[in-house]
């Protein structure tokens, strides 16, 4: 008799269920009105009188074990169900695609310009935004008393007259030229800072792309040719360019380049204020003083450089009227833009 009890006890302890039906089968077998334990109570009369007490206790324990195990199985089934609900997530259900990211208009313009210059052998150079006075100004032939150094225009680091936020990507020119020997052919995209009042038209931070080409025999004609290629790639095959004399401390001669878009097209008319000409970049032949400051022999080498402002191009290209929108990261604004083809 005791053997039967033992066998049932171990069966109860070892039983597992994987579904509600299996749990119900367990209940019916061990706890139901015709359960398997009941007949064992009837066996009492066949047990030796001296063993009856122990047998009765063993049966009660068996009953309790069945109840206890039932509750355990019920709990574990609940857990399993919660688990299968999580596992049962259908990863193939299509996701609404209205939250996917998009490129910032500034990045779109930057990337396009970078790829145009990479195609003709310019290599991307990136440098620090926190610069020293020497790389940003002195090496770039900008004298001590130049107004650009004024506290009004330049963000100096707190308590410093030496460290500043670079005011143009031209600081990358001096960084590269002091490290690298010619031939140098780099394109340097990046953020620059000027202490200007923020308005719809100007901001204290913006982006530029700097270009620098230094080698033996680099001429003004090489610069014109390179910039004409850029204008055609950027603004279309029919683009024409003109160079107007200008002044930058680090180039001599210096020029500003305009691109001819014409006036036939409504957008072109608006962008060029009816003149057909769009102001695009500053450029010039690298001043010999700059080469010498950076340890490049100006008797042996010449070069040209240019700097393009990105925000204005992005605003023109995407018809954005307020520069501040470019720095506010409003998703509703940002998701409107697609790549320039
Ligand atoms: N650094 C000039 C600016 O910020 C642009 C420039 C770069 C002009 C290189 C000439 C050559 O306006």
């Amino acid at each position: 008799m005791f053997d039967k009890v033992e066998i049932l006890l171990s069966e109860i302890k070892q039983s597992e269920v994987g579904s509600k039906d299996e749990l119900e089968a367990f209940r019916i077998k061990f706890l139901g009105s015709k359960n398997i334990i009941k007949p064992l109570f009837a066996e009492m009369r066949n047990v030796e009188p001296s063993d009856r007490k122990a047998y009765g206790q063993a049966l009660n324990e068996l009953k309790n074990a069945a109840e206890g195990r039932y509750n355990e199985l019920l709990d574990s089934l609940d857990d399993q169900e919660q688990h299968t609900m999580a596992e049962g997530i259908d990863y193939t259900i299509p996701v609404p695609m209205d939250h996917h990211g998009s490129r910032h208009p500034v990045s779109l313009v930057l990337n396009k310009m970078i790829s145009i210059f990479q195609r003709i052998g310019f290599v991307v150079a990136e440098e620090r935004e926190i610069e020293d006075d020497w790389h940003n100004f002195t090496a770039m032939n900008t004298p001590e008393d130049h107004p650009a150094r004024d506290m009004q225009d330049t963000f100096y680091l707190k308590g410093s007259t030496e460290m500043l936020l670079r005011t143009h990507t031209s600081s990358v020119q001096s960084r590269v030229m002091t490290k690298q020997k010619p031939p140098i052919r780099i394109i340097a995209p990046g953020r620059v800072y000027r202490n200007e009042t923020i308005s719809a038209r100007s901001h204290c931070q913006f982006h530029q792309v700097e270009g620098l080409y230094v080698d033996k025999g680099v001429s003004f004609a090489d610069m014109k040719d390179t910039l004409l290629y850029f204008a055609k790639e950027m603004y279309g095959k029919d683009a024409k360019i003109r160079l107007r004399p200008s002044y930058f401390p680090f180039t001599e001669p210096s020029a500003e380049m305009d691109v001819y878009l014409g006036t036939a097209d409504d957008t072109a008319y608006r962008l060029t204020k009816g003149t057909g000409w769009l102001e695009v970049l500053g450029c010039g032949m690298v001043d010999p003083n700059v080469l010498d400051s950076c340890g490049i022999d100006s008797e042996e080498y010449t070069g040209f450089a240019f700097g393009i402002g990105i925000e204005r191009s992005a605003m023109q290209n995407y018809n954005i009227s307020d520069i501040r929108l470019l720095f506010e990261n409003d998703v509703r604004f940002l998701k409107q833009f697609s790549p320039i083809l």
Side-chain angles (χ1 to χ4, degrees):
M1 282 309 123
F2 282 97
D3 286 354
K4 275 193 187 165
V5 177
E6 277 303 311
I7 291 166
L8 282 181
L9 190 63
S10 80
E11 186 185 336
I12 288 167
K13 281 184 181 159
Q14 284 166 22
S15 33
E16 296 290 345
V17 295
S19 68
K20 280 187 175 152
D21 287 349
E22 284 173 28
L23 182 68
E24 182 60 6
F26 177 94
R27 192 192 64 77
I28 291 168
K29 183 170 180 183
F30 296 105
L31 301 167
S33 54
K34 289 179 186 164
N35 72 61
I36 197 168
I37 301 170
K38 264 189 188 167
L40 293 181
F41 282 94
E43 300 278 354
M44 188 70 89
R45 52 195 149 88
N46 302 327
V47 175
E48 293 293 321
S50 59
D51 288 339
R52 280 189 188 151
K53 193 175 169 202
Y55 183 70
Q57 273 173 0
L59 284 182
N60 279 329
E61 274 167 28
L62 188 63
K63 236 177 90 183
N64 292 339
E67 275 167 14
R69 186 66 189 152
Y70 176 80
N71 288 330
E72 278 173 21
L73 293 173
L74 184 66
D75 285 350
S76 87
L77 202 60
D78 282 351
D79 285 354
Q80 278 178 39
E81 255 179 22
Q82 278 175 11
H83 217 78
T84 33
M85 265 164 66
E87 271 176 359
I89 289 171
D90 184 350
Y91 294 104
T92 65
I93 289 175
V95 176
M97 290 303 280
D98 52 354
H99 292 311
H100 62 159
S102 58
R103 295 242 182 248
H104 194 283
V106 166
S107 300
L108 292 168
V109 172
L110 264 178
N111 291 346
K112 172 149 190 189
M113 289 180 178
I114 290 169
S115 81
I116 290 172
F117 284 105
Q118 277 179 329
R119 266 177 263 152
I120 52 168
F122 282 77
V123 176
V124 172
E126 278 179 311
E127 268 298 343
R128 62 209 74 190
E129 291 177 15
I130 298 175
E131 249 318 340
D132 54 49
D133 185 89
W134 192 84
H135 286 93
N136 194 78
F137 291 127
T138 311
M140 299 313 291
N141 199 36
T142 307
E144 290 278 348
D145 53 0
H146 195 281
R149 291 195 178 209
D150 201 316
M151 288 297 213
Q152 301 291 308
D153 293 334
T154 306
F155 285 118
Y156 285 88
L157 265 58
K158 216 171 195 171
S160 178
T161 50
E162 185 55 31
M163 299 303 289
L164 46 84
L165 298 181
R166 67 180 178 192
T167 58
H168 51 183
T169 44
S170 300
S171 62
V172 185
Q173 289 192 37
S174 53
R175 282 277 166 199
V176 171
M177 285 192 283
T178 46
K179 276 199 296 228
Q180 207 179 306
K181 293 294 145 224
I184 292 169
R185 194 157 42 194
I186 55 133
I187 189 91
R191 196 171 297 175
V192 302
Y193 304 85
R194 283 181 207 172
N195 195 354
E196 289 192 30
T197 312
I198 298 172
S199 71
R201 297 182 55 94
S202 67
H203 209 285
C204 59
Q205 54 174 336
F206 52 98
H207 295 77
Q208 293 184 327
V209 174
E210 191 84 6
L212 174 68
Y213 182 19
V214 182
D215 202 352
K216 285 180 182 158
V218 175
S219 69
F220 197 86
D222 293 327
M223 181 179 83
K224 266 176 85 172
D225 204 42
T226 305
L227 295 178
L228 178 61
Y229 155 80
F230 164 70
K232 285 178 185 293
E233 292 295 310
M234 192 74 198
Y235 299 95
K237 280 195 185 59
D238 299 331
K240 293 195 228 347
I241 60 166
R242 77 175 174 202
L243 294 173
R244 280 179 290 106
S246 185
Y247 172 79
F248 300 102
F250 31 88
T251 45
E252 178 59 34
S254 303
E256 263 167 85
M257 184 179 91
D258 302 334
V259 175
Y260 190 68
L261 301 182
T263 50
D265 184 85
D266 279 353
T267 320
Y269 187 90
R270 181 176 50 82
L271 291 181
T272 65
K273 299 190 186 79
T275 64
W277 290 97
L278 188 67
E279 227 182 278
V280 170
L281 55 84
C283 59
M285 299 305 289
V286 180
D287 193 300
N289 287 338
V290 174
L291 295 172
D292 291 333
S293 295
C294 297
I296 292 175
D297 186 355
S298 60
E299 298 284 325
E300 203 180 341
Y301 294 102
T302 51
F304 66 76
F306 55 88
I308 315 173
I310 305 304
E311 273 72 10
R312 210 178 36 179
S313 284
M315 290 169 73
Q316 286 160 350
N317 193 73
Y318 294 110
N319 202 3
I320 299 164
S321 57
D322 191 326
I323 192 171
R324 289 169 292 198
L325 289 166
L326 294 171
F327 296 98
E328 279 165 6
N329 288 334
D330 184 328
V331 179
R332 290 164 303 179
F333 168 75
L334 293 176
K335 68 181 179 190
Q336 301 173 65
F337 305 100
S338 56
I340 322 159
L341 297 172

